[in-house]
Amino acid sequence: MRWNTQTARGEAEASTEGAPLIPLAGLLRAVRTPEFQGITFHEVAARSALNKVPPASSMPFRWTINPYRGCSHACVYCFARGTHTYLDLDAGLDFDRQVVVKVNVVDVLKAELARPSWSREHVALGTNTDPYQRAEGRYALMPGIIRALAESGTPFSILTKGTLLARDLPLLKAAAAHVPVGTSISLAMLDPELQSVIEPGTPTPSARLSLVSKLRDAGLPCGVMAMPILPWLTDGEDHIDALFGALAAAGATGVTAGALHLRPGTKEWFMQWLAREHPRLVGRYRRLYGNGAYAPKDYRTWLARRVNAAKARHRFAGAESFGHRMNGTPAGDSPENSIMLRPAAVQEELF
């Protein structure tokens, strides 16, 4: 369904004949609907579906697919916010409310997978913005992507906060019979009050824990990306222990945890949020992060000890964690080695 009866700023701008809201190459139309108040979907015809990760990247995969750009999850800390500036959009509200949808991504992907040169390397989904954000319930791009990858013999993995993934469990089970399939859920906090203000568009922590159990009940491995751990907000020993205990009870097969990092675009947006919600912490964060994006090594080492102790208590030590991996090798799962997408890894071709 493409909301054929809906308009964006009038019928003209909802069609290919109207002036675009933003100058996007391949723009077909911009759509607003009462179901998504305040959000505009920019439907585009993408020229490519598979994005190659730069060779210098530390990622454990070489290919990604991002059916959406921008994300209605609106996570204040999202590392991908800065990528919206590549589209001449801002990294704040535009990232949350101006969502680019590659409506032809399945057809383009099938053509790319059919090329003789395609070597069936691992493909990662969820590396930039969430493929199971709310728009997926309408556009339903992921079933076609899953089928295309499985039918071509291409292994893949998915990282998501979206409980809509449960819709595709039968497809994922069928795909796993033919190719390696990895699934990971992003969940780094249990407090629903904190979650509702820092990840306002995401499913609740309890809903995501339930999704972990559903994936395990379906016979699929399910790691958890417990990132970011937030200094002075979610890095307490009690919080981390409770989180890892809940993940173990849900059946998670492993956990990757690491500290918040604040790149340009994300840092400004996060610090504005912190000033509103936790003004007493602003000075501490400024001292901790200084002019850089990453917490200092001594903090990360301290956090690693706390995380590793919780892993040992809940029998996660040595377990595979993050679902994105290359050549069967699990990604490093200590906070010192945890996967954090470098800027080069997310500067992908949009079309």
Side-chain angles (χ1 to χ4, degrees), residues 30 57 69 73 90-91 100 109 116 154 161 178 192 228 249 253 283 285 312 314:
S57 170
R69 297 296 293 268
H73 284 343
D90 70 52
V100 177
L109 176 62
T154 300
K161 290 183 173 80
H178 301 284
T253 51
Y285 268 76
H314 298 287

Side-chain angles (χ1 to χ4, degrees), residues 112-120:
E112 292 177 335
L113 296 173
R115 293 173 181 167
S117 60
W118 175 242
S119 58
R120 296 175 177 81

Side-chain angles (χ1 to χ4, degrees), residues 233 269-279 281-282 285:
L233 289 172
W269 193 246
F270 180 86
M271 293 302 291
Q272 288 180 37
W273 173 86
L274 194 70
R276 289 195 309 271
E277 300 290 335
H278 299 279
L281 294 180
V282 170
Y285 268 76

Side-chain angles (χ1 to χ4, degrees), residues 115-138:
R115 293 173 181 167
S117 60
W118 175 242
S119 58
R120 296 175 177 81
E121 295 183 62
H122 182 103
V123 174
L125 295 104
T127 63
N128 194 13
T129 54
D130 201 314
Y132 284 102
Q133 59 180 283
R134 287 180 59 215
E136 172 61 17
R138 288 290 188 166

Side-chain angles (χ1 to χ4, degrees), residues 135-186:
E136 172 61 17
R138 288 290 188 166
Y139 284 96
L141 300 177
M142 285 298 291
I145 291 172
I146 292 168
R147 289 190 188 97
L149 291 169
E151 290 171 2
S152 72
T154 300
F156 65 93
S157 58
I158 299 170
L159 171 66
T160 184
K161 290 183 173 80
T163 52
L164 185 57
L165 174 68
R167 178 200 65 190
D168 293 341
L169 278 177
L171 284 175
L172 291 170
K173 287 180 64 177
H178 301 284
V179 297
V181 174
T183 57
S184 292
I185 304 305
S186 177

Side-chain angles (χ1 to χ4, degrees), residues 115-319:
R115 293 173 181 167
S117 60
W118 175 242
S119 58
R120 296 175 177 81
E121 295 183 62
H122 182 103
V123 174
L125 295 104
T127 63
N128 194 13
T129 54
D130 201 314
Y132 284 102
Q133 59 180 283
R134 287 180 59 215
E136 172 61 17
R138 288 290 188 166
Y139 284 96
L141 300 177
M142 285 298 291
I145 291 172
I146 292 168
R147 289 190 188 97
L149 291 169
E151 290 171 2
S152 72
T154 300
F156 65 93
S157 58
I158 299 170
L159 171 66
T160 184
K161 290 183 173 80
T163 52
L164 185 57
L165 174 68
R167 178 200 65 190
D168 293 341
L169 278 177
L171 284 175
L172 291 170
K173 287 180 64 177
H178 301 284
V179 297
V181 174
T183 57
S184 292
I185 304 305
S186 177
L187 177 60
M189 61 192 71
L190 294 179
D191 182 352
E193 292 186 10
L194 178 60
Q195 174 265 334
S196 68
V197 293
I198 201 167
E199 304 173 344
T202 64
T204 64
S206 61
R208 279 179 267 171
L209 287 170
S210 177
L211 179 60
V212 172
S213 297
K214 289 176 182 177
L215 285 161
R216 299 297 291 123
D217 290 344
L220 294 167
C222 182
V224 171
M225 184 69 128
M227 293 177 67
I229 303 297
L230 306 172
W232 299 291
L233 289 172
T234 63
D235 63 353
E237 186 172 3
D238 289 347
H239 176 94
I240 292 173
D241 189 68
L243 175 63
F244 279 55
L247 297 176
T253 51
V255 185
T256 293
L260 172 73
H261 58 289
L262 295 171
R263 293 204 199 107
T266 300
K267 190 171 192 176
E268 295 81 358
W269 193 246
F270 180 86
M271 293 302 291
Q272 288 180 37
W273 173 86
L274 194 70
R276 289 195 309 271
E277 300 290 335
H278 299 279
R280 63 184 179 81
L281 294 180
V282 170
R284 290 185 180 184
Y285 268 76
R286 285 176 177 163
R287 289 189 293 273
L288 187 66
Y289 285 90
N291 296 321
Y294 298 95
K297 186 175 181 179
D298 58 351
Y299 176 83
R300 287 183 282 124
T301 300
W302 171 85
L303 181 61
R305 288 196 295 268
R306 181 160 286 186
V307 165
N308 289 335
K311 282 187 175 185
R313 283 194 297 272
H314 298 287
R315 301 184 180 180
F316 284 121

